[in-house]
Amino acid sequence: MNNDKAPALALANLWVAFTAFLAAALLGLYQVVERSGLFPAIESPAWYFAAVSTHGVLMGFVLTTFMVMGFGYYTATTSLAQPLWNRSLAWLSFWLALVGVLLAAYALLTGQASVLYTFYPPLRAHPIFYIGAVLLIVGSWIWCLEMIMMMITWKRSRPGQPVPLVMFGNVANALMWLWASAGVAAEVLFQLLPWSLGIIDTVDVGLARTLFAWTLHAIVYFWLFPAYIALYTLLPRAAGGRLFSDPMGRVSFIMLMVISVPIGFHHLYMDPFQETGFKLMHMFGTFMVAIPSLLTGFTIIASLEISGRLQGGTGLFGWIGALPWREPLVTAAGLGLLLLAGGGFGGIINASYAMNTLVHNTAWVPGHFHLIFGGTVALIYFGIAYHLWPKLTGRSLRSPGLVLTQLWLWAIGMIVTAVPWHWLGLLGQPRRISSTPYDTPLVAAWQPFETLMVFGALLLSLSAILLFYNLVTSQASGKSNPDTTLAYAEPVHAVLSLPRPLNGFVIWNWILLFWMIAAYGYPIVQFFLLDTYGAFPWNV
Amino acid sequence: MHIDPLERRWIILTLVLMLAITGVLLGYAIAANLHPPSNVETIDSTRLHLTPEFAEDKLGVAKNPDGTLTVTMVAGRYGFYPQHVEVPVATPVTFRIASADVLHGVHVPLTNLSTMIVPGYVSEVTTLFEKTGEYPLLCNEYCGLGHDHMWSRLTVISPQ
């Protein structure tokens, strides 16, 4: 097929992603066991917080960024049927990001960056940690440029033709990430890095937290985007049917791109330095960003229903059983959507302005994002990997039974882990603790849930190892698969032409610009008007 | 461009649902003045001991002329000071807390008392405890390797 080595580049990116994932998953097991208090011999705050920081960075920044990049390169070249815009630059981006990860990993694993993946100034990490983060972000920016340029060159040679939905999604994600990552990039480049090097003495923690919040909500959509794109453009075909609506996919991608950036203050609800008016404004946006997810749920379930009925399913729910559950992507998506429903419900509570007070920074919050990210996003990443592997490697999956076992183990493990985690939060357990040395009867009430989580984490670790085993053995010794053409789902109603706003992003960038000025303009400028006091660095 | 009638209904339902939820939240925010704790007020966290409000001998519970209470506290690695606070039940209490070092958070489980404590800023939150008893005052934001050990006590007593 295409001879520009996009499969090699995609594979390289995906291997980094899943290697980071395996390491992070095993650290997760250690953390759950350590925190359970059942094995006092392994208790160590230094190890625990180094592990939590590494786990967060590997899962949140490394697995995701490399997955987004690998998925983007491969789907761009196959859907547009054109080579990469600039192959050398794409490889440069890979190596830059990888070197960044290795630098950050050195600081993390030697305990010199136990500041958690959210950085938390005025706790100071080794400068190498921040340099690594910058390299990873710069690598991801090159990927964004590749995506945008590939769409532009394709459109130029085919005026008026609809951009393939999969590519429209990739570019929506690339643009959103350029907007979103500007916040954390500014924090690291202008505050944390010079401050950790001693070039400046203090940082304004309020400004730093505001800049991080700028990135912090949209980043979860950066992670979620490839999963949603796969649901729209790969899943319906894998399920043996058609996509219910192509334009609704575009509408959802546009809404995710525009709405997910100017709403970061729900991460600052409990912080003193932003006024309630801005928090309210960001709350409305936070609820609006649920709309594309609800639209996606409808469109994807409708597409699956079409597939199920085409395969003979009847009755109100009979079509569900008729779906081809042996297809890894179908099982991954089905389980992922189930966890998304639970995680989305919790998310509405977190977003709820005043009600968030009861769960803020309790164990409820990691419980919530492990359902959505560790559950939905990770499961669909696995589904994508299993779906693409035969195309990328030219070899079939070695053991389809083990593939399905791995997906089910992960989903069950995540439910067994995350549900008790929510309960711990409702019972007042703070998040980010390595032990519970408090003198309160609540500690006894927490114990059964922490013990239950150990079993969940064991299932998850087993599943993570199995994923790695499946990918390695398939690539090394799977049966030869001559059909390496990646085919995308056809919509029920073919899209012949589209209104311009649904085939490009110019107007949406302008809307986002004005919304960003309204949402972050004064809240950032205020730090230069107020008489603020910066914070000196502290070691952990 | 084709929009299915069923899809159209779902979009309307989704919009109504989101407007209803945000409407309830906005209603409570306006009618009951129910907001998360915002307080844009700066302070030099390195000089708390020299301020008239957060000097060591000024910390603790103080009664205001209108019968409400103000509790002044300093959060620092690894404790909240004073380490034991006693307040009456069903009385509005305003907590004013400043950090002496890094980022902290305070949460009293099963109550509405929760706020981030950010170096350089003063946190202020007003609440009312509905049940008497002993409560832990927990740090709920990672502040260093001793974070687990950062907690103090709150006693809610019945009025004499």
Side-chain angles (χ1 to χ4, degrees):
Chain A
M1 44 176 301
N2 61 69
N3 51 7
D4 67 343
K5 301 282 197 302
L9 180 61
L11 262 181
N13 276 284
L14 295 185
W15 269 122
V16 175
F18 289 116
T19 307
F21 165 78
L22 179 64
L26 296 177
L27 286 173
L29 173 65
Y30 160 71
Q31 289 152 221
V32 172
V33 172
E34 200 269 11
R35 199 180 50 120
S36 72
L38 299 172
F39 305 92
I42 62 163
E43 283 186 29
S44 154
W47 279 89
Y48 181 85
F49 288 113
V52 174
S53 302
T54 312
H55 175 87
V57 168
L58 289 180
M59 289 294 196
F61 295 150
V62 183
L63 162 67
T64 49
T65 305
F66 282 89
M67 181 74 200
V68 167
M69 296 198 295
F71 179 83
Y73 289 134
Y74 190 58
T75 53
T77 51
T78 50
S79 68
L80 302 180
Q82 71 182 32
L84 290 167
W85 172 65
N86 185 329
R87 186 172 23 131
S88 321
L89 204 57
W91 276 105
L92 175 71
S93 130
F94 169 78
W95 288 111
L96 268 183
L98 184 58
V99 169
V101 169
L102 294 174
L103 291 179
Y106 163 75
L108 283 162
L109 294 173
T110 51
Q112 299 179 79
S114 297
V115 296
L116 307 193
Y117 89 103
T118 32
F119 299 160
Y120 288 138
L123 294 180
R124 176 183 54 181
H126 194 290
I128 283 213
F129 175 67
Y130 303 118
I131 293 170
V134 170
L135 291 179
L136 180 61
I137 295 171
V138 171
S140 72
W141 284 347
I142 297 177
W143 172 82
C144 295
L145 182 69
E146 294 270 353
M147 292 298 110
I148 294 165
M149 292 312 295
M150 284 184 78
M151 186 184 81
I152 289 175
T153 49
W154 188 90
K155 280 176 85 171
R156 267 199 202 127
S157 61
R158 295 166 185 77
Q161 277 191 38
V163 176
L165 183 59
V166 64
M167 193 57 196
F168 194 79
N170 280 330
V171 177
N173 196 19
L175 288 167
M176 185 205 72
W177 179 238
L178 286 175
W179 279 99
S181 55
V184 71
E187 183 197 3
V188 174
L189 285 174
F190 299 124
Q191 292 192 291
L192 303 187
L193 187 54
W195 172 73
S196 71
L197 290 168
I199 298 168
I200 55 173
D201 291 332
T202 64
V203 292
D204 184 334
V205 181
L207 176 59
R209 287 180 63 73
T210 303
L211 290 173
F212 200 83
W214 164 316
T215 303
L216 194 49
H217 195 66
I219 198 173
V220 308
Y221 286 98
F222 177 62
W223 306 337
L224 188 62
F225 244 111
Y228 272 16
I229 297 172
L231 291 182
Y232 279 99
T233 64
L234 296 176
L235 173 68
R237 193 179 190 101
R242 281 169 175 247
L243 173 61
F244 184 73
S245 167
D246 174 290
M248 216 35 75
R250 289 167 203 267
V251 170
S252 296
F253 294 158
I254 289 168
M255 288 180 84
L256 288 175
M257 171 208 152
V258 175
I259 306 174
S260 62
V261 200
I263 61 172
F265 280 13
H266 60 246
H267 290 281
L268 300 181
Y269 279 161
M270 305 305 289
D271 280 64
F273 49 78
Q274 296 293 354
E275 291 288 4
T276 50
F278 283 102
K279 292 179 181 176
L280 261 178
M281 175 187 175
H282 284 239
M283 177 198 76
F284 284 111
T286 305
F287 278 95
M288 280 173 69
V289 88
I291 293 171
S293 282
L294 288 163
L295 294 184
T296 299
F298 179 90
T299 307
I300 298 313
I301 292 170
S303 308
L304 289 176
E305 185 178 343
I306 293 170
S307 312
R309 294 199 188 285
L310 280 174
Q311 280 150 89
T314 53
L316 198 54
F317 296 111
W319 57 270
I320 297 176
L323 287 169
W325 292 107
R326 294 188 165 280
E327 281 288 332
L329 187 57
V330 175
T331 292
L335 294 170
L337 285 172
L338 195 70
L339 297 182
L340 183 65
F345 172 76
I348 285 181
I349 290 170
N350 304 342
S352 292
Y353 198 57
M355 189 156 56
N356 163 67
T357 300
L358 289 171
V359 294
H360 173 76
N361 267 354
T362 66
W364 167 282
V365 179
H368 158 73
F369 67 70
H370 276 79
L371 266 190
I372 288 208
F373 177 70
T376 310
V377 173
L379 273 166
I380 300 177
Y381 282 7
F382 306 155
I384 292 172
Y386 289 136
H387 192 75
L388 295 187
W389 227 242
K391 317 286 181 195
L392 290 170
T393 64
R395 290 174 183 274
S396 305
L397 295 176
R398 182 106 190 283
S399 166
L402 280 183
V403 166
L404 293 180
T405 308
Q406 188 266 321
L407 294 171
W408 278 96
L409 263 182
W410 186 267
I412 294 167
M414 196 51 83
I415 291 170
V416 175
T417 309
V419 172
W421 222 338
H422 280 80
W423 275 108
L424 283 170
L426 293 179
L427 290 172
Q429 184 178 93
R431 66 189 284 200
R432 309 183 186 109
I433 49 169
S434 71
S435 60
T436 52
Y438 314 118
D439 176 18
T440 157
L442 284 171
V443 172
W446 293 339
Q447 190 58 56
F449 297 100
E450 293 188 28
T451 306
L452 198 53
M453 285 176 68
V454 173
F455 291 99
L458 281 170
L459 295 179
L460 290 170
S461 303
L462 195 60
S463 174
I465 294 167
L466 200 49
L467 171 84
F468 211 75
Y469 173 81
N470 285 335
L471 295 180
V472 171
T473 53
S474 299
Q475 183 166 353
S477 58
K479 268 192 233 136
S480 173
N481 171 48
D483 176 23
T484 54
T485 311
L486 180 62
Y488 294 94
E490 300 284 342
V492 174
H493 298 273
V495 180
L496 302 173
S497 69
L498 282 168
R500 277 182 70 149
L502 291 189
N503 202 34
F505 296 94
V506 176
I507 182 175
W508 305 115
N509 277 313
W510 280 106
I511 290 174
L512 185 48
L513 174 66
F514 288 110
W515 196 345
M516 290 298 282
I517 292 170
Y520 293 106
Y522 179 75
I524 287 177
V525 169
Q526 69 161 355
F527 293 108
F528 300 93
L529 305 176
L530 287 167
D531 213 359
T532 57
Y533 301 90
F536 291 95
W538 292 76
N539 292 323
V540 296
Chain B
M1 201 177 105
H2 175 87
I3 297 184
D4 192 87
L6 206 59
E7 200 169 30
R8 194 183 302 271
R9 257 181 272 167
W10 174 252
I11 293 170
I12 293 168
L13 188 72
T14 302
L15 289 174
V16 168
L17 183 70
M18 289 305 137
L19 283 175
I21 296 176
T22 48
V24 168
L25 291 165
L26 184 65
Y28 273 104
I30 294 169
N33 199 21
L34 204 60
H35 296 279
S38 283
N39 183 48
V40 187
E41 178 184 343
T42 63
I43 193 165
D44 186 349
S45 279
T46 58
R47 299 165 66 86
L48 291 183
H49 57 293
L50 302 175
T51 61
E53 188 178 5
F54 291 98
E56 204 171 342
D57 56 336
K58 301 293 195 306
L59 303 178
V61 187
K63 195 158 191 164
N64 300 318
D66 62 354
T68 62
L69 297 172
T70 298
V71 179
T72 309
M73 299 185 88
V74 166
R77 299 203 296 189
Y78 292 104
F80 296 96
Y81 307 95
Q83 288 191 296
H84 183 214
V85 170
E86 199 173 271
V87 295
V89 74
T91 308
V93 188
T94 297
F95 286 81
R96 282 179 58 79
I97 313 175
S99 166
D101 41 43
V102 298
L103 194 63
H104 299 284
V106 62
H107 182 211
V108 176
L110 317 178
T111 77
N112 287 338
L113 177 57
S114 177
T115 182
M116 299 293 296
I117 303 158
V118 183
Y121 300 86
V122 180
S123 298
E124 185 177 305
V125 54
T126 300
T127 189
L128 172 154
F129 300 100
E130 289 174 343
K131 288 183 183 150
T132 57
E134 292 282 338
Y135 295 86
L137 214 118
L138 306 176
C139 179
N140 71 354
E141 186 55 277
Y142 177 62
C143 53
L145 297 184
H147 167 54
D148 308 353
H149 297 273
M150 180 159 170
W151 60 286
S152 300
R153 291 168 201 278
L154 172 79
T155 309
V156 180
I157 53 167
S158 52
Q160 311 60 19

